[in-house]
Amino acid sequence: FAGYISQVLKNYTDHACDGEYVSLRCPHRTTISIQSSFYGRIVPSHQLCPSRYPHSYATLIKEDVACSVGTSLQKMLDECQDRRSCQFLVNSRLFGMDPCPGTGKYLLVWYKCRPNEYKSKVACEDDKLRLSCKKSMVIAIYSAVFGRTEGGSLECPYQNLGMPMTECQSATALQLMIKRCHGKRSCSIYASTYEFGDPCYPGIQKHLNVIYTCGNTPLLLPVDETGLSSSSSSSSSSMEPVGVGTEMALLSNILAAYAFITGMP
């Protein structure tokens, strides 16, 4: 469970040069969620994706290091969004008109792995957000945003108070939601600056948006007859025995998962 959730929370980056295959893959029960994409060249070839031509020929061509294609994000969405894995050969023909012929290019992709089954909850500023799962299931936080997003929120329409319509988000929202709710059957938190701080200009209305999934307890790490996690990871090996009951064994695994996650960047 800890390994699964750490893969879900992780931000992935992949790249491929012209003529190479790019391959994106997510773990079981998750799908690819493209965050951003770039195709072109903004660094010299000796730093990334060296020229495939002989050096003497390459010196005759002025390499363009301000070259980018505006269709790369849409192409990645078309090829990979909501799939568990995708692979294709990178070349300029995939992205339409070549903005810099003769310059070798590369593809950079940033993506996350989104659970196949997830829930989304929104609370307006100063309202209470409540999350819950069915019996024998626990909460796994996927993402959390507190502040004002570019598209706003249908549940929390903003009043025009003459404030600039800029995007502002708390940098600690995800960490706080994991600490408060991860591994529990239910939890609640106020969408307030007291909890999350104020990432915006004074007076700007904010909201809390949390995406989470509910995991079955059998997905937790295996437990031996002593009630301790059988994982040999350092996060669980330092834990004290918590008993042989099912509930205490479950608690042991949840704490091990949380310790693993909080140790991730």
Side-chain angles (χ1 to χ4, degrees):
F1 184 68
Y4 168 76
I5 295 300
S6 70
Q7 288 180 298
V8 169
L9 295 177
K10 182 179 178 181
N11 290 300
Y12 294 86
T13 304
D14 203 355
H15 84 279
C17 310
D18 276 343
E20 296 178 349
Y21 281 92
V22 63
S23 180
L24 311 186
R25 186 176 299 276
C26 281
H28 187 52
R29 299 189 303 277
T30 68
T31 55
I32 296 168
S33 176
I34 301 295
Q35 304 296 299
S36 185
S37 175
F38 170 85
Y39 178 72
R41 177 171 291 281
I42 54 175
V43 298
S45 58
H46 68 270
Q47 295 182 10
L48 181 64
C49 293
S51 173
R52 302 173 66 182
Y53 298 110
H55 180 71
S56 57
Y57 177 75
T59 56
L60 300 177
I61 303 175
K62 181 175 175 58
E63 190 174 61
D64 190 344
V65 291
C67 172
S68 63
V69 176
T71 59
S72 64
L73 176 58
Q74 186 59 53
K75 181 61 178 178
M76 291 306 305
L77 292 172
D78 293 342
E79 294 288 337
C80 300
Q81 184 76 353
D82 296 328
R83 300 182 182 181
R84 188 184 169 196
S85 64
C86 68
Q87 183 182 59
F88 58 89
L89 184 67
V90 175
N91 60 69
S92 60
R93 294 187 298 274
L94 288 173
F95 301 96
M97 184 176 295
D98 191 340
C100 48
T103 294
K105 292 168 282 292
Y106 51 84
L107 175 67
L108 293 172
V109 184
W110 295 266
Y111 68 101
K112 295 185 71 174
C113 294
R114 181 170 54 198
N116 290 342
E117 297 182 5
Y118 62 91
K119 303 177 182 181
S120 178
K121 282 286 187 73
V122 175
C124 305
E125 187 172 3
D126 295 327
D127 289 344
K128 180 182 284 189
L129 180 76
R130 294 181 176 87
L131 307 182
S132 63
C133 292
K134 297 178 181 179
K135 187 177 181 180
S136 78
M137 304 185 80
V138 294
I139 297 168
I141 301 295
Y142 172 70
S143 68
V145 174
F146 178 75
R148 168 181 277 178
T149 55
E150 184 177 355
S153 169
L154 295 177
E155 296 88 344
C156 310
Y158 298 132
Q159 298 177 5
N160 187 359
L161 302 177
M163 304 301 295
M165 291 296 292
T166 56
E167 182 173 322
C168 48
Q169 298 180 17
S170 168
T172 60
L174 176 58
Q175 182 181 1
L176 179 58
M177 289 303 304
I178 290 175
K179 182 177 181 180
R180 188 69 62 87
C181 299
H182 189 79
K184 298 180 180 179
R185 184 183 170 191
S186 64
C187 69
S188 62
I189 189 171
Y190 279 98
S192 67
T193 56
Y194 175 80
E195 295 280 5
F196 297 94
D198 196 343
C200 307
Y201 290 113
I204 289 183
Q205 296 169 298
K206 296 165 282 292
H207 68 272
L208 174 63
N209 186 5
V210 177
I211 296 177
Y212 69 103
T213 187
C214 293
N216 291 314
T217 51
L219 291 176
L220 296 172
L221 296 171
V223 178
D224 61 24
E225 62 232 8
T226 66
L228 291 174
S229 167
S230 61
S231 170
S232 60
S233 68
S234 60
S235 61
S236 59
S237 61
S238 62
M239 296 179 62
E240 296 295 327
V242 292
V244 297
T246 302
E247 292 181 359
M248 297 306 290
L250 173 61
L251 176 61
S252 172
N253 283 323
I254 291 173
L255 292 175
Y258 176 68
F260 181 91
I261 292 168
T262 54
M264 300 293 287

